Amino acid sequence: MTTQVDYDNVPVGMQLAAQEFQLLPVNEIMYCGASLDFVGVHWNPRVARSVGMDHIVAHGPLTEAKALSLVHEWTGDPGSVVAQHARFHKPVLIPDDGVGARYRIHGTVTEKLADRRVVVELTAVSPQEEELATVRAVVQLA
Amino acid sequence: MPLNREFIGRSWRAAEIYEVSREKLRDFAVAIGETHPVYLDEEAAVKQGHRTVIAPPTFATTLWFRMGNWPMLVPEFGKQKDPVCVLGDQRVTHHRRIHAGDRLWFTTTVRDIRDIGRHELFEMEHQVTSEDGEPVCTVVDQMISRNSAAPKEQRS
């Protein structure tokens, strides 16, 4: 655990650097293979349509992983996440149109805990400003 | 058809131990778009104070699929091919990092099944422990089983 971020210098309300993400069908198919979650709605447009989705649907934990990457970028240490709570509000649909799904993730330090830990609230927002997912991460600082 | 509520409180442990491989961690990191060297390069991981390469913080959430996603395929559980189950909420507590070379036991307990309108909420707790029984990671998944709630009696 070698984060350089000093707990004492982190105020509540501090914003992490927001990031833009793009998911193409191939990214989703790679995640199917890596996670071994081959539920049809995640890779097969026909199955997705059969349950009322216009396009294949991204795995929630893939967006969760993207959100936590903001924390790693900040602390410099992927070992700094102690716990995370993800809530998936809306399906992330991935059209096969060369553009795919896009969302922006922003994060804010919302609470300082004991043992030099902080809470970071991360939110994935669509280009239409819909809240897609939120992740509350407990992060160990130095 | 509703899920079988007799499963509430039941636990199941995977028959085999899961051995974390360095190449699996690399593939997983690449699939989530992570290029941090602590996932990919042993030397870099050691420099960061880890024993060897570590798993990204969402890795443990996938072990359920590898270990056979009990009880979804148990006929008495009542999960139909249609409607679909959707992950709505996921809580992960890391008791320690997962490293390449770890040998892990995986246990799932059904915590709750209840109606949410026309849908059912199905909560599972997954415990990942070391070969010696040391807690490694706890994952609590809440899935929504769409349109599977028992029909309510019509009130007129």
Side-chain angles (χ1 to χ4, degrees):
Chain A
M1 305 286 177
T2 56
T3 178
Q4 302 301 315
V5 178
D6 186 345
Y7 173 87
D8 295 327
N9 295 336
V10 173
V12 168
M14 200 201 88
Q15 308 267 319
L16 276 60
Q19 285 191 48
E20 304 276 344
F21 295 94
Q22 178 182 32
L23 293 182
L24 297 170
V26 66
N27 301 119
E28 186 47 35
I29 288 162
M30 283 169 72
Y31 191 81
C32 286
S35 67
L36 304 178
D37 178 356
F38 292 102
V39 169
V41 294
H42 295 307
W43 61 273
N44 187 328
R46 177 178 52 78
V47 173
R49 280 193 299 273
S50 78
V51 295
M53 303 292 179
D54 290 337
H55 307 288
I56 60 169
V57 182
H59 287 82
L62 178 55
T63 299
E64 179 181 330
K66 301 284 186 196
L68 293 173
S69 74
L70 269 71
V71 176
H72 309 160
E73 287 288 323
W74 173 47
T75 64
D77 176 14
S80 58
V81 175
V82 177
Q84 76 245 24
H85 178 194
R87 282 166 294 157
F88 307 108
H89 306 300
K90 282 186 78 81
V92 175
L93 301 181
I94 308 179
D96 182 19
D97 59 0
V99 178
R102 286 173 185 274
Y103 50 72
R104 184 180 77 254
I105 301 182
H106 56 84
T108 308
V109 175
T110 56
E111 204 179 331
K112 294 188 80 166
L113 306 174
D115 301 327
R116 307 188 78 76
R117 292 174 174 183
V118 295
V119 175
V120 177
E121 298 275 356
L122 302 144
T123 308
V125 183
S126 75
Q128 292 75 39
E129 298 298 325
E130 303 159 301
E131 213 170 84
L132 301 171
T134 47
V135 181
R136 180 184 191 274
V138 178
V139 181
Q140 180 72 58
L141 298 179
Chain B
M1 199 177 92
L3 301 173
N4 183 350
R5 299 194 183 194
E6 285 176 16
F7 274 71
I8 298 171
R10 284 193 199 172
S11 287
W12 167 92
R13 190 173 90 163
E16 55 178 329
I17 213 157
Y18 179 87
E19 186 164 327
V20 182
S21 85
R22 206 158 67 88
E23 291 296 340
K24 177 69 191 182
L25 294 183
R26 167 181 284 270
D27 289 350
F28 186 76
V30 169
I32 62 174
E34 284 280 5
T35 53
H36 197 290
V38 297
Y39 302 131
L40 310 174
D41 176 8
E42 183 154 349
E43 209 171 297
V46 169
K47 257 188 208 158
Q48 284 251 331
H50 303 290
R51 173 155 53 79
T52 179
V53 290
I54 62 169
T58 56
F59 178 71
T61 71
T62 69
L63 293 179
W64 183 57
F65 296 97
R66 163 63 182 82
M67 303 321 270
N69 66 351
W70 182 89
M72 300 304 249
L73 304 179
V74 179
E76 310 87 76
F77 181 59
K79 163 76 176 71
Q80 307 292 305
K81 194 169 165 50
D82 212 15
V84 284
C85 266
V86 180
L87 181 64
D89 186 294
Q90 182 166 71
R91 290 165 203 260
V92 184
T93 306
H94 305 278
H95 308 296
R96 69 157 173 83
R97 305 271 43 116
I98 293 175
H99 300 85
D102 279 352
R103 289 167 56 80
L104 304 172
W105 284 114
F106 187 82
T107 305
T108 295
T109 303
V110 176
R111 308 295 305 204
D112 196 15
I113 304 169
R114 63 176 189 267
D115 286 1
I116 303 268
R118 288 179 297 121
H119 313 300
E120 286 180 291
L121 183 147
F122 164 45
E123 183 174 298
M124 289 176 292
E125 181 180 298
H126 311 292
Q127 289 292 354
V128 180
T129 51
S130 74
E131 212 167 5
D132 307 326
E134 167 205 12
V136 174
C137 188
T138 306
V139 179
V140 178
D141 284 335
Q142 282 185 352
M143 316 216 34
I144 305 298
S145 173
R146 289 174 50 175
N147 300 310
S148 66
K152 309 288 184 292
E153 282 186 28
Q154 296 287 326
R155 280 186 225 155
S156 57

